[in-house]
Amino acid sequence: MNSLVSKTTFILLTLIQFNCMAQIKNPVIAHRGAWKEFNLPQNSIASLKKAIELKCFGTEFDVHLTKDAKMVVTHDHDFYGLDIETHTYEELNSRKHPNGEKLPTVEEYLAEGLKQTKTKLIFEIKTSNVSISRTYLMIDLIKDYLEDKNLENQIEFILFSFDASIYIKKQLPNYKISYLEGDKTPQEIKQVGLDGIDYNHKVYKENKNYLKDARKLGLITNSWTVNKEDLFLKLLDEKIDVITTDYPAKFLEIYSDLKP
């Protein structure tokens, strides 16, 4: 009898533990915040707040450097028609998001995102169109900003530039750095000391061993931008760690239905 009770208690505790973990860690990263499903501007404070409200595992955002070396959060190399790298922050602020928000600085964006600790902030460093030295300058500014803040568990970095990925890993060795371009094998990523691969889903389709090889090497695995349910389920079945999507609310619901 006591043995049966003990086994039952163990099973119940295991299920409770699994459910608690599932609530805390899910595989969904909101691409540029949770914008598409809620008609919000991409990379806006509003889309950031919505991703946090949804309890996504992470929310991704893109960062450029202005002419006067201000780090700003937006995806394209222009902000509503104004080229970011050839305009000052003040000049860029003549334009607004459709919801009335101004172009957020990294400091403003992170100040909002770091009010909580459940949703990771996935910081994409956009490669400069002017020169690689400006990409390195942004990394130096990031290093100065993060000095003594101990945010390694809340902020992760992703980059398309392989050289810049190596550079930031040297500057911020305790932060997780994943590579985006898809032209390096998991072995090459591991060899230079990076932490993960964050490749377009087509790369994994063409290189069927990448996810398995990355797991063996202890690398983080992510895929962008996954917007179809069948692909989401396929990647989960292949044991990918996280998935970046424009439909975080939809995929969180799908993932919730998969839990026992």
Side-chain angles (χ1 to χ4, degrees):
M1 182 68 176
N2 288 339
S3 177
L4 179 59
V5 171
S6 297
K7 287 180 180 179
T8 303
T9 302
F10 174 78
I11 291 170
L12 287 172
L13 288 173
T14 301
L15 287 173
I16 291 169
Q17 183 182 33
F18 177 86
N19 286 330
C20 289
M21 289 175 63
Q23 289 172 7
I24 295 170
K25 185 182 184 302
N26 59 69
V28 177
I29 293 177
H31 186 226
R32 308 176 196 170
W35 63 276
K36 194 176 187 70
E37 295 166 300
F38 302 95
N39 195 31
L40 299 170
Q42 302 176 28
N43 280 308
S44 63
I45 298 294
S47 66
L48 164 67
K49 287 181 175 179
K50 182 57 71 172
I52 292 170
E53 180 186 320
L54 292 173
K55 300 180 181 178
C56 296
F57 172 77
T59 183
E60 182 263 356
F61 61 102
D62 308 281
V63 180
H64 294 267
L65 197 64
T66 67
K67 181 181 178 180
D68 54 343
K70 299 286 186 183
M71 293 184 287
V72 294
V73 180
T74 188
H75 178 265
D76 296 338
H77 285 270
D78 69 277
F79 187 66
Y80 297 106
L82 293 180
D83 181 75
I84 292 169
E85 292 195 84
T86 58
H87 287 80
T88 66
Y89 180 63
E90 183 178 357
E91 291 168 338
L92 291 166
N93 264 330
S94 66
R95 307 291 167 89
K96 297 287 187 291
H97 280 301
N99 68 344
E101 283 188 34
K102 69 183 182 70
L103 176 65
T105 64
V106 160
E107 292 83 359
E108 291 167 339
Y109 195 91
L110 291 180
E112 183 62 42
L114 292 170
K115 290 178 180 178
Q116 54 79 51
T117 59
K118 299 297 184 184
T119 297
K120 286 182 178 286
L121 305 177
I122 312 299
F123 190 133
E124 180 176 342
I125 297 173
K126 303 300 285 189
T127 306
S128 169
N129 277 342
V130 176
S131 68
I132 190 65
S133 63
R134 279 183 58 81
T135 307
Y136 290 162
L137 172 59
M138 194 200 307
I139 292 169
D140 292 340
L141 292 172
I142 293 166
K143 180 184 178 182
D144 290 343
Y145 175 78
L146 291 177
E147 191 171 13
D148 301 325
K149 284 187 169 64
N150 300 316
L151 296 172
E152 295 90 340
N153 292 325
Q154 292 171 263
I155 298 175
E156 298 183 11
F157 293 93
I158 55 176
L159 305 86
F160 275 100
S161 168
F162 189 60
D163 291 340
S165 298
I166 295 170
Y167 183 77
I168 189 173
K169 187 62 183 177
K170 290 178 180 176
Q171 302 306 309
L172 295 169
N174 295 326
Y175 284 81
K176 293 176 181 176
I177 315 295
S178 293
Y179 181 55
L180 289 163
E181 186 62 41
D183 60 341
K184 304 294 182 184
T185 66
Q187 290 80 6
E188 289 174 303
I189 295 298
K190 185 70 174 182
Q191 187 175 12
V192 297
L194 300 181
D195 301 286
I197 55 173
D198 185 351
Y199 292 166
N200 184 273
H201 56 86
K202 295 176 183 177
V203 174
Y204 297 122
K205 184 176 181 180
E206 295 169 0
N207 301 274
K208 298 186 183 303
N209 290 326
Y210 271 16
L211 288 173
K212 182 171 64 175
D213 291 346
R215 280 198 304 276
K216 288 180 179 178
L217 293 167
L219 296 174
I220 302 165
T221 55
N222 188 4
S223 182
W224 59 270
T225 301
V226 178
N227 289 334
K228 294 183 178 179
E229 180 178 342
D230 59 344
L231 181 57
F232 176 71
L233 293 172
K234 183 176 186 296
L235 288 166
L236 287 181
D237 188 56
E238 292 173 356
K239 297 182 175 59
I240 198 166
D241 291 319
V242 285
I243 294 170
T244 300
T245 179
D246 291 325
Y247 296 95
K250 174 184 176 181
F251 283 5
L252 283 168
E253 184 176 353
I254 292 170
Y255 182 71
S256 179
D257 289 343
L258 297 176
K259 295 187 295 183

